Amino acid sequence: MQGLFERAFIEPFHRLAEQLKVVVPGLMTVVVILVAGGALAYVVRQAVYGLLRMVRFDRLAVRAGWAEAIERTRIFRSPSDFGARVAQGAVWLLIILFALSATGSPLTEDLLERFFRFVPDLITAILVLLLGSVISKFLARSTLLAAVNAQWAGARLLAGGVRVLVMSLAVVIALEQIRIGRTALLTSFAILFAGIVIAAAIAFGLAGRELARGWLEQRMRPQAKEEEEVFRHL
Amino acid sequence: MDNFLPSELIARLKETGDVEIVAGIPSYNNARTIGQVVRAVAAGLGKYFPECKAIIVNSDGGSKDGTHEAVLNAEVDHSALFQVTHPVNPVRRITTAYAGIPGKGSAFRAIFAVAKHLNAKACVVVDSDLRSITPQWVELLVRPVVDREFDFIAPYYLRHKYDGTITNSIIYPMTRAMFGQQVRQPIGGDFGISGKLAARYLEKDVWETDVARFGVDIWMTLTAIAEGFRVGQSYLGAKLHDAKDPGADLTSMFRQVVGSLFGLMETYEKTWQSVEGSKAVPMFGFPFDVGLEPIPVNVERMEHAFTQGTRDLREIYVEFLSPGTLAALAECARAGDGVTFRLPDKLWVHTVYEFAAAYHRRAIDRDHLMQSLVPLYLGRTASFVLEVQESTALEVEERIEKLCEVFEAEKGYLAALWRAGAGKEKTHAGTV
């Protein structure tokens, strides 16, 4: 009877206790890491916010054109707030990774290794997107201004097209960097780009061949003086 | 000071010795017209300053059309000029290539360096493509410097009422409102300068900037005014020059001239903010009327440019124009229909001032900013042309005077915008 009681209750309890003896310290370590890390993340956020305010990061963000985009999300109160929360998020990520590695399990170790190999590519992709955004906006604006000053009717369409094209290129490069759908993406982009080029060539060369001829003749031959206004602006 | 002058030139200057007047002619491929200019200048120096030792300096940007030879071979027919006195010292000529960034500014720098090297009392600079220059221009630009101790003499030309619209609608009113002196043509291109002022120009560290390329005229005028030099202007009659590029890119002109003006407002910020009102500058020469050929103007095209600009560039304008100005411009575009199209003075002044403030705080890329002003300027020009098409030259000058008064009256608006600086930037006081 006593043996049955031991086998049914005591031994499972001992086995559980043995397992808990192995698991609990690790769990306690994770909890301590998370709590301490959370506090650290909060301190970092405060510190980064103060630093960004001191260097007038808000003004820089307004000038760079990011401020409006950040405030439109209605999540962040200001560019400095955004920067502080990004820093806090980065600290949290490190804390979580640290906590995971503290468990010592082979699965988490493998996960960590793959994550750390992915991080540089992820950072590069984010930078490519940011740069692409800035460049596409600048080029689109330059195109818009040149087209408006040349009094082209489709100035906004042309500028929008430039922006979409440049941003698409940036997205393709970013996704290619993090190896998401590489082949499909590159092929789609190539088809799209080639399609645009062929369509433009057909439109200009075939449908608009008289216009194309006139434009080329104008470029190749010496220009005749304009017959209208000759008044000087200066 | 002159380490950018070629060593052969320095050697020749040493041989020349000190002079009283340096006449500078910047050039680049002007063989067709520069001979006439050199003859006029040489005749002017000989006729009006026979006692003075003078030199003509052609500062060239690497011409390949024979400009150099045209300068050296230009002969003056003194008998045709009925000269009573004859030059004591023959007027020497030097032609040299300038160093530095290609542009009129670099050419002027070389001329000023020659003037300083030769301890010249006066320096006169004229464009190399002038067709209406006479020997008397030399006297009118140099005499006030030599005899009356003026430092800077700007030209005063008689122009068609539709000519020089950037000057009439932006440069002249702004120069007057900001710096308090009514120099009618601040970017005329032909100037008389004292040796003292030429030396001052050389001290400035601008020769590797856009000033060296294309902003030198407005820079010279505003530097002379802002730094307290004695400024006057001389009546030269009509200015006709070789229109090499009648359809010259307006966008480039804006970047060059208006951009330089806005940049100089930053340099002399304290000066213009302390100036109130304006006063006339002394005028030399005898004002006479000249017949001017009528100039055709395509008002419809300009109005269309304005309408398209206010519509298509709205996303850019919202970043720095006030809502009131933006709405008023849109209303002008909507309401105008050819003959009745008008862009009121106050609206135009506010527009220019908001652009100047946006330039100062770098609201957007400065090149883009200047380009975006072009359609609005064309609208203003169209409005002006429609308004004065039946007016005489005198009435047009009175009209421009009224515009200048509005620029002066609204200066406080600009000062407030300028001080606000970060008016469009939001700061957040929230805690984390």
Side-chain angles (χ1 to χ4, degrees):
Chain A
M1 189 64 182
Q2 193 173 346
L4 182 66
F5 181 76
E6 271 186 24
R7 274 201 304 276
F9 295 102
I10 305 298
E11 280 173 17
F13 182 76
H14 282 309
R15 279 200 298 275
L16 177 63
E18 287 301 321
Q19 282 173 347
L20 283 175
K21 231 196 308 190
V22 170
V23 168
V24 164
L27 270 176
M28 294 291 292
T29 309
V30 168
V31 167
V32 167
I33 290 172
L34 288 175
V35 168
L40 177 66
Y42 178 77
V43 168
V44 164
R45 182 176 138 201
Q46 294 276 30
V48 169
Y49 183 78
L51 187 68
L52 290 176
R53 293 273 294 152
M54 202 160 50
V55 303
R56 299 182 184 223
F57 182 69
D58 288 342
R59 187 179 288 189
L60 182 68
V62 167
R63 283 189 186 161
W66 307 329
E68 223 175 285
I70 290 168
E71 278 156 25
R72 227 181 282 141
T73 62
R74 295 186 197 280
I75 300 171
F76 310 102
R77 278 173 296 179
S78 67
S80 296
D81 184 38
F82 170 74
R85 285 180 191 272
V86 165
Q88 185 185 31
V91 171
W92 261 117
L93 184 63
L94 286 172
I95 297 298
I96 289 167
L97 291 174
F98 182 44
L100 279 175
S101 97
T103 62
S105 112
L107 181 65
T108 54
E109 283 190 16
D110 181 51
L111 189 67
L112 281 171
E113 196 190 323
R114 288 171 72 180
F115 176 78
F116 281 117
R117 266 188 283 143
F118 181 69
V119 164
D121 292 336
L122 181 65
I123 292 172
T124 307
I126 291 170
L127 287 174
V128 165
L129 284 175
L130 285 174
L131 197 63
S133 169
V134 170
I135 292 174
S136 71
K137 188 179 174 187
F138 185 86
L139 287 178
R141 185 165 280 189
S142 298
T143 305
L144 177 66
L145 285 162
V148 165
N149 284 328
Q151 296 188 41
W152 287 3
R156 286 173 72 179
L157 186 65
L158 188 64
V162 166
R163 186 163 193 176
V164 165
L165 202 63
V166 174
M167 203 56 219
S168 302
L169 190 62
V171 166
V172 165
I173 294 172
L175 289 175
E176 202 265 345
Q177 187 66 31
I178 55 178
R179 292 180 281 274
I180 292 180
R182 259 176 144 160
T183 309
L185 202 62
L186 284 172
T187 310
S188 307
F189 185 77
I191 291 170
L192 178 68
F193 194 69
I196 292 171
V197 169
I198 290 171
I202 292 171
F204 190 64
L206 196 64
R209 63 176 181 268
E210 294 303 326
L211 183 66
R213 180 186 293 150
W215 186 81
L216 283 166
E217 280 176 353
Q218 207 181 3
R219 287 281 171 274
M220 300 303 279
R221 289 189 193 154
Q223 289 189 1
K225 278 198 176 169
E226 291 184 16
E227 79 285 359
E228 79 251 10
E229 63 198 53
V230 292
F231 80 106
R232 287 176 295 271
H233 292 281
L234 287 178
Chain B
M1 172 262 296
D2 56 3
N3 52 2
F4 55 88
L5 293 178
S7 49
E8 319 84 62
L9 175 63
I10 295 178
R12 290 187 65 189
L13 294 179
K14 281 196 174 103
E15 280 172 32
T16 305
D18 288 0
V19 302
E20 278 147 293
I21 302 170
V22 167
I25 308 173
S27 67
Y28 180 67
N29 288 340
N30 296 112
R32 203 160 54 151
T33 53
I34 199 169
Q36 176 67 3
V37 176
V38 171
R39 274 192 288 277
V41 171
L45 289 169
K47 181 168 181 172
Y48 297 105
F49 301 96
E51 307 284 324
C52 296
K53 192 173 173 193
I55 187 169
I56 294 175
V57 177
N58 165 229
S59 182
D60 187 69
S63 300
K64 306 252 185 305
D65 67 343
T67 296
H68 174 85
E69 291 73 26
V71 170
L72 296 175
N73 297 335
E75 293 293 335
V76 179
D77 181 2
H78 291 283
S79 63
L81 297 173
F82 302 108
Q83 283 180 234
V84 175
T85 52
H86 290 273
V88 173
N89 304 291
V91 178
R92 297 185 70 161
R93 296 177 204 178
I94 290 177
T95 168
T96 179
Y98 62 76
I101 299 172
K104 193 175 173 184
S106 295
F108 275 19
R109 185 191 190 195
I111 293 167
F112 297 150
V114 168
K116 188 174 179 195
H117 195 99
L118 300 178
N119 294 315
K121 195 173 173 192
C123 182
V124 57
V125 289
V126 292
D127 282 339
S128 51
D129 62 352
L130 288 167
R131 291 191 286 118
S132 59
I133 186 172
T134 66
Q136 200 185 15
W137 282 32
V138 176
E139 187 193 26
L140 288 166
L141 292 172
V142 175
R143 182 74 64 196
V145 176
V146 168
D147 289 355
R148 308 273 189 98
E149 298 191 347
F150 275 79
D151 295 298
F152 183 85
I153 299 296
Y156 187 109
Y157 309 112
L158 196 63
R159 307 185 75 168
H160 189 276
K161 61 186 178 182
Y162 297 157
D163 233 358
T165 35
I166 294 180
T167 300
N168 292 341
S169 59
I170 303 176
I171 305 298
Y172 168 51
M174 285 287 280
T175 300
R176 174 177 156 156
M178 293 306 109
F179 298 100
Q181 302 217 23
Q182 296 170 13
V183 176
R184 183 62 181 86
Q185 270 136 27
I187 47 176
D190 311 301
F191 303 107
I193 302 152
S194 68
K196 186 173 74 176
L197 180 55
R200 184 78 184 104
Y201 286 148
L202 282 172
E203 289 168 12
K204 298 291 188 181
D205 187 19
V206 297
W207 305 106
E208 304 300 324
T209 68
D210 283 348
V211 166
R213 282 192 193 84
F214 35 60
V216 70
D217 290 337
I218 187 68
W219 175 78
M220 282 167 58
T221 305
L222 291 187
T223 299
I225 296 173
E227 299 203 6
F229 287 90
R230 283 192 78 201
V231 173
Q233 53 192 354
S234 283
Y235 189 88
L236 302 180
K239 176 168 183 173
L240 303 173
H241 53 147
D242 221 27
K244 271 199 282 198
D245 192 5
D249 182 23
L250 187 53
T251 313
S252 299
M253 277 190 221
F254 258 78
R255 199 174 67 244
Q256 292 168 22
V257 181
V258 182
S260 296
L261 171 66
F262 289 168
L264 285 162
M265 284 172 63
E266 290 191 311
T267 307
Y268 296 111
E269 193 175 330
K270 288 193 174 61
T271 307
W272 68 258
Q273 289 189 19
S274 63
V275 166
E276 284 183 23
S278 67
K279 58 182 196 295
V281 299
M283 171 81 89
F284 301 98
F286 185 82
F288 55 91
D289 261 348
V290 175
L292 298 165
E293 287 181 13
I295 292 177
V297 177
N298 191 337
V299 174
E300 203 179 305
R301 189 183 72 82
M302 288 191 282
E303 203 185 321
H304 177 260
F306 174 77
T307 306
Q308 184 181 7
T310 49
R311 184 189 66 228
D312 291 349
L313 300 182
R314 187 180 166 78
E315 64 182 68
I316 296 177
Y317 295 144
V318 295
E319 293 191 31
F320 55 88
L321 287 182
S322 67
T325 300
L326 204 52
L329 288 169
E331 179 56 27
C332 284
R334 193 196 62 77
D337 64 349
V339 176
T340 61
F341 175 74
R342 292 291 184 272
L343 207 162
D345 285 357
K346 193 166 175 182
L347 174 58
W348 173 242
V349 170
H350 278 205
T351 302
V352 173
Y353 282 166
E354 288 174 25
F355 266 82
Y359 186 95
H360 172 54
R361 68 172 189 275
R362 294 179 188 266
I364 66 171
D365 177 79
R366 284 177 167 180
D367 253 7
H368 287 172
L369 186 76
M370 289 295 102
Q371 287 179 58
S372 69
L373 182 52
V374 171
L376 304 182
Y377 156 76
L378 287 174
R380 171 65 194 179
T381 302
S383 169
F384 176 77
V385 168
L386 287 168
E387 208 182 318
V388 303
Q389 56 190 344
E390 305 297 334
S391 304
T392 63
L394 190 60
E395 285 165 349
V396 169
E397 274 305 304
E398 286 167 7
R399 183 68 190 82
I400 293 170
E401 176 72 19
K402 280 202 178 67
L403 174 66
C404 291
E405 286 166 6
V406 178
F407 265 92
E408 288 179 27
E410 295 297 312
K411 191 175 171 183
Y413 179 71
L414 170 65
L417 285 176
W418 197 274
R419 276 191 301 271
K424 288 272 180 181
E425 294 162 7
K426 303 175 193 92
T427 54
H428 300 266
T431 54
V432 180

